[in-house]
């Protein structure tokens, strides 16, 4: 005889959910009060430091464990001490023992539903190979920018539906938190931040998973539990490239770039260093039918022969 696992009735709130976190849960189809026509399968919640990203991932994991009896979902950070400081201590305070109990040896939160919330780490590319036989209902990666693209892509392949599980309601649920910078900076920037207009769902290329993606910016102002003034003062003491990453949530910067002050937009979202031809014409009073750039502007070109990518010629000009 097979026992049937049932969802428990929760009569109290486990988390205080801020509006941006609620939006993330809704996008993933995890808000029981509001439906999502096409739930997002792969969400990047990132940008400024202090936006409530880590707490959101615990909310997602807990919700999945309560919604899908028997589900197994891991939450990854790069090292175990980071897991301990950022998640394990917190989850034991957030989830009452009558709902789930924590196993100190296995680093797992076992729910009355039969679901398991795993706390895992992978500090290099070789470490992810130990998860090749895993089968998860979803995947959560905190500070995903500190992982390599290879680690993210390989871990993502372990998200799949066990045959006949979850009454046919299963779908991939993958969520990352991240700040600009780190080994996966370009992968996340190109694959999420710049792949579509901000806060717009889109389908990832087939060679990168083919899932429905969404980039949801996280800002310090989205987390009322922090004193924004004090936290900003602390962040301002960081090196310039880290201030841009953590305080401004600026994905346009690259550590070590010659123009460290480069950014596409300012903090208010206004255009800064990236303008369209039409905007340049309007700014300098160049008629739409006139040659562009004007013949009198000084011009240069640079050639990169390429090693791994096709070679290119870049033309530059300088406005008066």
């Amino acid at each position: 005889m097979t026992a049937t696992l049932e969802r428990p009735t929760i009569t109290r709130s486990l988390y205080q959910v801020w509006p941006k976190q609620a939006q993330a849960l809704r996008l993933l189809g995890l808000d029981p009060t509001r439906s999502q026509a096409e739930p997002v399968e792969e969400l990047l919640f990132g940008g400024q430091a202090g936006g409530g990203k880590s707490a959101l991932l615990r909310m997602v994991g807990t919700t999945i464990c309560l919604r899908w009896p028997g589900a197994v979902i891991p939450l990854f950070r790069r090292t175990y001490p980071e897991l301990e400081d950022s998640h394990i201590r917190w989850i034991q305070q957030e989830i009452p023992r009558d709902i789930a109990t924590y196993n100190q040896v296995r680093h797992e939160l076992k729910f009355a539903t039969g679901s398991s919330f795993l706390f895992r780490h992978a500090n290099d590319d070789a470490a992810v190979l130990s998860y090749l036989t895993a089968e998860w209902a979803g995947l959560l990666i905190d500070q995903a920018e500190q992982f390599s693209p290879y680690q993210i892509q390989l871990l993502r392949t372990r998200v799949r539906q066990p045959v006949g599980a979850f009454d046919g309601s299963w779908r991939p649920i993958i969520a990352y938190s991240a700040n600009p910078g780190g080994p996966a900076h370009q992968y996340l920037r190109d694959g999420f931040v710049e792949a579509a207009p901000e806060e717009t769902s889109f389908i990832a290329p087939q060679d990168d998973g083919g899932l429905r993606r969404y980039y949801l910016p996280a800002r310090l102002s989205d987390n009322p539990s922090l004193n924004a003034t004090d936290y900003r003062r602390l962040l301002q003491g960081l090196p310039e490239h880290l201030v841009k990453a953590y305080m401004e949530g600026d994905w346009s910067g690259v550590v070590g770039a010659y123009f460290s002050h480069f950014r596409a937009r300012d903090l208010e979202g206004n255009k800064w260093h990236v303008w369209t031809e039409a905007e340049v014409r309007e700014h300098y009073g160049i008629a739409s039918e006139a040659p562009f750039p004007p013949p009198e502007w000084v011009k240069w070109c640079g050639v990169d022969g390429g090693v791994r990518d096709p070679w290119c010629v870049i033309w530059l000009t300088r406005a008066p």
Side-chain angles (χ1 to χ4, degrees):
M1 180 176 179
T2 303
T4 301
L5 298 172
E6 297 182 355
R7 299 181 181 89
T9 300
I10 307 298
T11 58
R12 58 198 181 282
S13 176
L14 300 179
Y15 291 97
Q16 181 169 14
V17 184
W18 305 118
K20 186 58 71 73
Q21 295 167 335
Q23 182 182 357
L25 293 171
R26 184 172 68 254
L27 288 166
L28 291 168
L30 297 176
D31 184 345
T33 65
R34 300 180 64 178
S35 61
Q36 181 77 11
E38 292 182 300
V40 173
E41 298 166 312
E42 202 174 5
L43 175 75
L44 173 62
F45 189 55
Q48 296 179 12
K53 301 184 296 298
S54 296
L56 170 71
L57 295 187
R58 295 195 299 276
M59 294 177 198
V60 172
T62 299
T63 303
I64 290 174
C65 287
L66 292 171
R67 175 167 295 190
W68 291 336
V72 177
I73 182 165
L75 191 161
F76 276 86
R77 280 213 62 164
R78 217 176 60 82
T79 68
Y80 179 77
E82 291 171 324
L83 272 176
E84 181 73 37
D85 292 342
S86 299
H87 293 289
I88 293 175
R89 293 176 181 175
W90 292 97
I91 197 75
Q92 294 181 79
Q93 298 175 35
E94 294 163 347
I95 308 302
R97 292 188 177 182
D98 60 330
I99 296 176
T101 56
Y102 185 74
N103 187 310
Q104 297 281 359
V105 176
R106 297 179 59 84
H107 308 307
E108 298 176 5
L109 192 67
K110 191 71 174 181
F111 283 74
T113 59
S115 300
S116 296
F117 195 176
L118 317 181
F119 296 86
R120 299 291 183 257
H121 67 281
N123 56 9
D124 55 33
D125 285 358
V128 299
L129 299 178
S130 63
Y131 300 106
L132 284 177
T133 59
E135 190 173 86
W136 301 320
L139 172 65
L140 309 171
I141 301 181
D142 194 14
Q143 301 300 145
E145 81 281 359
Q146 298 302 326
F147 291 72
S148 70
Y150 168 80
Q151 289 175 292
I152 294 172
Q153 291 169 320
L154 191 144
L155 291 173
R156 187 174 58 207
T157 66
R158 302 299 87 208
V159 178
R160 49 187 175 171
Q161 179 184 20
V163 177
F166 313 136
D167 302 323
S169 64
W170 180 86
R171 64 182 182 283
I173 296 181
I174 300 170
Y176 314 106
S177 81
N179 298 116
H185 172 96
Q186 185 168 344
Y187 174 74
L188 296 173
R189 184 190 66 187
D190 295 349
F192 288 84
V193 180
E194 296 185 354
E198 191 173 288
E199 300 197 37
T200 302
S201 65
F202 62 98
I203 303 298
Q206 288 300 313
D207 61 1
D208 195 25
L211 299 177
R212 182 174 298 280
R213 284 182 173 173
Y214 198 101
Y215 168 55
L216 183 61
R219 299 181 174 89
L220 179 56
S221 58
D222 296 324
N223 184 6
S225 65
L226 282 179
N227 184 310
T229 301
D230 289 345
Y231 196 53
R232 286 186 183 278
R233 277 173 30 197
L234 294 173
L235 292 176
Q236 284 172 338
L238 292 169
E240 182 182 2
H241 70 276
L242 292 180
V243 171
K244 290 178 64 178
Y246 297 152
M247 186 171 168
E248 302 175 13
D250 183 2
W251 290 88
S252 65
V254 178
V255 175
Y258 186 83
F259 295 107
S260 62
H261 61 287
F262 172 85
R263 68 192 64 187
R265 297 175 182 271
D266 63 17
L267 292 178
E268 285 71 45
N270 302 309
K271 288 181 179 292
W272 195 261
H273 287 136
V274 180
W275 288 15
T276 65
E277 177 184 330
E279 289 167 332
V280 176
R281 283 181 178 273
E282 180 180 2
H283 183 78
Y284 286 99
I286 304 169
S288 58
E289 64 275 9
F292 187 86
E296 64 273 17
W297 286 16
V298 178
K299 304 173 184 67
W300 302 266
C301 75
V303 179
D304 185 340
V307 177
R308 291 176 298 179
D309 293 316
W311 72 292
C312 66
V313 178
I314 299 176
W315 284 92
L316 305 98
T317 187
R318 183 175 184 177

